[in-house]
Amino acid sequence: MKTILFIALLCVSVYSVTAQQQNKEDSVRAMISKQKADKAEVDALLYLSSLQIQMDSAIKFANQGLTLAKSINYEKGEADCYLILAAINVGQQNISQSLKYSFDALKIYKNIGDIQGAVLAHLILQGNYRQAADFNSSLAHAHEGLQIAEANNVIGKDRTFPGHRIAPLLLAEIGGTHLLNYQLDSALIYTQQSILKNEVFNGASWGFPVYLLATIQTELGDYESALKNYHLSIELSVKNGIYRDTLQNFSGMSTLFRKTGDLDSSIYYAQKVNRSWNLTSETKNLIEAVTNLGQSYKLMGKLDSAVKYIERSQVLKDSIYSIDKDREVQNIAINEKMKEQELIAIQVEYENKVKLYVLMAGLSAFLLITIILYRNSRTRQRAYALLQRQKQEPDIQKNKVEQALIELKSTQSQLIQSEKMASLGELTAGIAHEIQNPLNFVNNFSEVNTELIAELKAESVKPKAEWDESLIKETLDNLNDNEQKIVHHGKRAADIVKGMLQHSRSSSGVKEPTDINALTDEYLRLAYHGLRAKDKSFNAELKTDFDESIGNINIIPQDIGRVILNLINNAFYAVNEKLKVESSKLKAEVYEPTVSVSTKKDGNKVLISVKDNGNGIPQKILDKIFQPFFTTKPTGQGTGLGLSLSYDIVKAHGGELKVETKEGEGSVFTIILPITIS
């Protein structure tokens, strides 16, 4: 996507005089040599910049045009120069400079009412933010550009979608951004819209949206459809004359065959990318191909080849990482320089609010736990003193001791509730991620329904004899299907909110029929996305094996959910700690963090297991892990209450909490609950 955007915008020709003279570069240079210092000379310099293969030459002519445009107060020429400089800097990975030029161009285009230029500026901005992994800002600019393009039927300039609407390009870019953010439902919707609204170029449709569709289908496991679309995208790319786009299809096919176990085919297509890649190609395609080579050779037992390509893949990723770190530093300066830009201001304000809320929540939780622990300590001291005086005042002191025990139980209940609130804070990011998908789905299908209703209205104004009955029926069916999906995902969002509220409120102590599989799966996903939101570098393979024969069992869902969440969080912590150590070692076998969650019906009992492949628990501390306030985590990262409270909760349900561990290989925690079916 990066190269397509760069090449497309770099090829924008704003030289109006040379519509029939594109192959007459000498004539254009002759015009510049006259140095008339007028608008035609600015346009000629822009034209020469767009023709250059060497980036230094392209920058040189664009800067000359920019200087001249400013001196003669030619605003459109100035904006066009900024735009082509922004496109050049995208290709050179200089995202901060490209952002600056893009915003400068956008401001001028808005001032002079140049709609087409504003759309192209938004197009570059969304690509820049996507490369910086700021998907929200990328989508904001893409949607704004799309709204303008569709409202004004914007047509591409010269070689950028020549004579065709630019909306399909923006739809494809939106789909690609959702794909990178792994929002597959949204990615599929916008990609399909791009394909439907696509137009013919050089005798064939644009191949890039078809490649996107194939990649989405690969992620969804529809390998047969994905393979067909990869071949179709290659055919369209060749017909369009965009031969570089074949590499992204070959890298995608390599991933597809690796996932299906056809390692020879995976290696074949990965090597095609490896041999054909050059400096004008996209680095992400090479990384994908080299990674597949390393993994395929590893699965085939060819460790020498596997190590070779794994090391090369790491080098490529490290180079991208270095670029990303440079971008972060550069973006700080850019944000200070562009405070007047409303979008940046909103983003900074939002980030500051989130940090403030997180800090306040953390401080509140810490203060609450400290107060409760202090109260608990004081209550224990009073109980001890009462017991000491009990020999002298048996009856009176006995009543006081009983009252102290009641206070202890109350304090314990408060402590459990405070732990729940602390865990709710940890789950906030996971809940936000989980609720985003159904809400995106509702929003997207609502937009689709709006378009379908518009089509029905357009059909209704025709004479009844001209009505397309099949189109009307198909549109109504689509509306009905979309509404059902909106209702389904709306209920899904409501269930997530309901679960969050149940987790936060004090336990009623009343058991209720609960789907243990659904409860376990819910907390697994919330815990994973919550941790990913705090540490984007964290990644682990999740495995589930749920026994569908269990059905509903009577438990207190808030309490058992807390136990499951605690065990899953501990498993993620264990594999993440091991990954930090293993990543520093040079080994042929790459450590893959894995957390497995399973349920099983065993007679009149239910077993819930959480397994990790971390470092395991040393035997010398195994007997202490269920003791209150015992923790192996660094100071400030754990209170030592999680396993202790979990053990008490399971015991209160008449069950057991067991652990099996092997140092260096991992641990398995198993919750054993008696089945009482309602």
Side-chain angles (χ1 to χ4, degrees):
M1 288 176 278
K2 174 186 68 179
T3 301
I4 291 175
L5 178 61
F6 170 61
I7 296 298
L9 290 170
L10 187 58
C11 289
V12 172
S13 174
V14 293
Y15 182 51
S16 59
V17 177
T18 59
Q20 292 84 29
Q21 298 176 334
Q22 293 185 4
N23 295 321
K24 297 182 180 180
E25 183 176 349
D26 290 341
S27 299
V28 177
R29 289 181 181 273
M31 179 182 295
I32 294 173
S33 67
K34 295 179 181 179
Q35 297 184 345
K36 292 185 176 181
D38 56 7
K39 293 181 179 180
E41 185 176 346
V42 174
D43 293 339
L45 287 166
L46 277 167
Y47 175 70
L48 282 181
S49 177
S50 70
L51 292 179
Q52 303 307 305
I53 298 176
Q54 297 295 326
M55 293 299 99
D56 290 343
S57 298
I59 293 173
K60 169 189 170 185
F61 287 117
N63 277 324
Q64 287 179 1
L66 179 61
T67 301
L68 179 56
K70 287 181 177 180
S71 68
I72 64 174
N73 198 27
Y74 179 23
E75 290 184 288
K76 175 170 170 44
E78 182 181 350
D80 290 337
C81 290
Y82 279 135
L83 193 66
I84 201 166
L85 284 169
I88 294 170
N89 278 276
V90 173
Q92 294 185 324
Q93 297 294 327
N94 191 353
I95 304 304
S96 62
Q97 194 62 34
S98 181
L99 280 170
K100 179 184 181 303
Y101 286 135
S102 300
F103 277 121
D104 289 341
L106 181 61
K107 182 178 180 180
I108 296 174
Y109 284 136
K110 286 184 176 180
N111 287 339
I112 65 176
D114 189 333
I115 294 172
Q116 188 179 56
V119 170
L120 292 177
H122 282 300
L123 187 60
I124 297 185
L125 283 167
Q126 65 87 28
N128 280 329
Y129 278 118
R130 181 173 56 233
Q131 288 193 60
D134 185 350
F135 300 122
N136 289 335
S137 297
S138 175
L139 290 171
H141 281 286
H143 279 290
E144 187 171 351
L146 177 63
Q147 183 179 3
I148 298 172
E150 290 185 333
N152 298 277
N153 197 29
V154 175
I155 304 299
K157 293 182 178 181
D158 299 326
R159 283 168 285 174
T160 306
F161 279 48
H164 297 280
R165 293 178 298 116
I166 207 166
L169 170 59
L170 284 160
L171 288 167
E173 294 295 319
I174 293 172
T177 301
H178 281 300
L179 175 59
L180 288 176
N181 204 19
Y182 210 74
Q183 297 171 332
L184 299 182
D185 289 339
S186 298
L188 183 60
I189 290 173
Y190 285 102
T191 299
Q192 289 174 335
Q193 288 184 17
S194 176
I195 293 172
L196 287 174
K197 296 183 179 182
N198 217 341
E199 299 180 10
V200 175
F201 302 89
N202 300 326
S205 297
W206 187 33
F208 177 67
V210 181
Y211 156 77
L212 276 182
L213 178 60
T215 305
I216 295 167
Q217 290 168 334
T218 299
E219 291 295 328
L220 293 173
D222 187 1
Y223 301 122
E224 182 178 356
S225 300
L227 186 58
K228 290 180 181 178
N229 282 317
Y230 277 133
H231 283 297
L232 175 58
S233 179
I234 292 172
E235 179 183 348
L236 294 174
S237 296
V238 172
K239 288 182 178 179
N240 293 154
I242 311 175
Y243 299 102
R244 63 182 176 277
D245 280 4
T246 57
L247 290 186
Q248 62 190 8
N249 288 284
F250 290 146
S251 62
M253 291 167 70
S254 172
T255 299
L256 183 152
F257 284 120
R258 178 180 58 76
K259 288 188 175 184
T260 60
D262 188 351
L263 301 181
D264 288 336
S265 296
S266 178
I267 291 172
Y268 171 77
Y269 285 104
Q271 287 290 14
K272 290 190 72 162
V273 178
N274 189 32
R275 288 191 296 266
S276 303
W277 190 89
N278 56 52
L279 293 178
T280 65
S281 307
E282 291 194 53
T283 304
K284 76 175 185 65
N285 296 330
L286 181 60
I287 291 176
E288 182 179 8
V290 171
T291 300
N292 286 331
L293 285 170
Q295 293 183 5
S296 296
Y297 281 125
K298 178 182 174 183
L299 292 172
M300 295 172 73
K302 298 180 179 181
L303 294 184
D304 289 341
S305 298
V307 170
K308 169 187 172 183
Y309 288 107
I310 288 172
E311 289 178 345
R312 188 180 178 201
S313 172
Q314 191 60 48
V315 170
L316 289 169
K317 290 177 181 177
D318 287 344
S319 68
I320 296 298
Y321 176 77
S322 297
I323 292 171
D324 287 341
K325 297 300 289 183
D326 289 339
R327 287 183 193 145
E328 291 176 6
V329 175
Q330 293 168 341
N331 282 339
I332 294 174
I334 291 172
N335 289 337
E336 291 295 323
K337 207 168 186 178
M338 297 189 301
K339 288 182 180 178
E340 72 278 9
Q341 297 295 335
E342 182 179 359
L343 184 61
I344 299 298
I346 293 174
Q347 182 181 357
V348 172
E349 182 182 359
Y350 172 78
E351 291 175 352
N352 288 338
K353 284 183 179 179
V354 170
K355 291 177 182 177
L356 178 61
Y357 293 155
V358 170
L359 179 61
M360 291 177 62
L363 289 174
S364 299
F366 177 79
L367 181 61
L368 180 61
I369 292 173
T370 302
I371 292 172
I372 292 174
L373 290 176
Y374 176 76
R375 287 183 57 190
N376 186 42
S377 176
R378 291 294 302 274
T379 303
R380 287 180 183 273
Q381 292 175 7
R382 288 197 299 269
Y384 179 77
L386 287 171
L387 287 171
Q388 292 298 313
R389 293 194 300 268
Q390 189 176 21
K391 294 179 181 179
Q392 299 175 354
E393 302 176 6
D395 295 333
I396 297 174
Q397 298 305 327
K398 181 180 179 181
N399 293 334
K400 291 183 177 180
V401 170
E402 289 175 350
Q403 182 62 35
L405 292 175
I406 293 173
E407 292 181 12
L408 278 173
K409 291 181 180 179
S410 175
T411 301
Q412 185 180 31
S413 298
Q414 295 177 32
L415 183 58
I416 293 172
Q417 182 62 19
S418 70
E419 281 288 300
K420 288 182 179 180
M421 295 305 296
S423 67
L424 180 62
E426 295 175 358
L427 287 177
T428 301
I431 291 169
H433 181 279
E434 282 297 299
I435 207 170
Q436 189 63 45
N437 279 337
L439 291 180
N440 281 342
F441 205 94
V442 169
N443 291 336
N444 292 335
F445 273 99
S446 296
E447 293 176 5
V448 172
N449 281 357
T450 300
E451 294 179 3
L452 293 174
I453 291 171
E455 292 177 5
L456 281 176
K457 288 182 178 179
E459 190 70 18
S460 66
V461 300
K462 298 179 182 179
K464 189 171 183 180
E466 297 180 9
W467 285 4
D468 187 344
E469 298 293 336
S470 62
L471 174 62
I472 294 174
K473 183 180 183 304
E474 180 182 357
T475 303
L476 290 173
D477 290 342
N478 288 337
L479 280 169
N480 183 61
D481 291 342
N482 291 347
E483 287 298 317
Q484 292 179 3
K485 292 175 181 176
I486 290 172
V487 170
H488 169 74
H489 287 276
K491 290 180 178 178
R492 169 69 181 139
D495 289 341
I496 293 171
V497 174
K498 179 182 177 182
M500 178 182 67
L501 294 175
Q502 286 181 337
H503 184 83
S504 65
R505 67 168 61 103
S506 298
S507 172
S508 64
V510 178
K511 295 182 179 181
E512 58 184 83
T514 304
D515 185 343
I516 196 67
N517 291 338
L519 184 70
T520 304
D521 184 59
E522 182 80 12
Y523 279 105
L524 173 62
R525 287 184 287 106
L526 290 177
Y528 180 71
H529 292 302
L531 184 55
R532 283 273 297 164
K534 292 191 294 184
D535 183 5
K536 293 189 180 298
S537 65
F538 174 76
N539 201 359
E541 181 179 2
L542 307 181
K543 294 183 178 181
T544 57
D545 183 13
F546 297 140
D547 186 350
E548 299 298 334
S549 66
I550 296 175
N552 290 347
I553 63 173
N554 275 342
I555 59 172
I556 303 173
Q558 302 98 310
D559 290 351
I560 296 299
R562 172 67 186 136
V563 176
I564 294 171
L565 175 63
N566 180 264
L567 297 182
I568 291 172
N569 278 337
N570 286 347
F572 284 149
Y573 178 85
V575 299
N576 196 29
E577 289 299 302
K578 184 173 182 179
L579 178 62
K580 293 176 182 177
V581 176
E582 295 295 325
S583 298
S584 63
K585 302 177 182 178
L586 183 60
K587 299 172 63 178
E589 182 175 340
V590 179
Y591 171 68
E592 296 182 355
T594 304
V595 174
S596 305
V597 181
S598 65
T599 60
K600 181 181 179 182
K601 184 177 181 181
D602 184 11
N604 63 344
K605 297 180 180 179
V606 169
L607 280 63
I608 308 166
S609 297
V610 178
K611 178 180 179 183
D612 66 74
N613 64 343
N615 287 316
I617 304 172
Q619 289 296 323
K620 61 182 180 181
I621 66 169
L622 190 58
D623 294 335
K624 302 179 182 179
I625 61 173
F626 294 114
Q627 295 178 6
F629 308 109
F630 179 83
T631 179
T632 60
K633 297 179 181 178
T635 303
Q637 293 190 25
T639 63
L641 294 172
L643 285 177
S644 174
L645 292 177
S646 297
Y647 186 87
D648 292 341
I649 291 171
V650 175
K651 281 292 185 183
H653 278 74
E656 297 179 77
L657 179 57
K658 294 184 175 181
V659 58
E660 297 177 13
T661 185
K662 189 170 183 180
E663 287 191 55
E665 295 185 11
S667 305
V668 182
F669 283 82
T670 303
I671 306 168
I672 304 174
L673 297 174
I675 296 179
T676 51
I677 303 175
S678 175

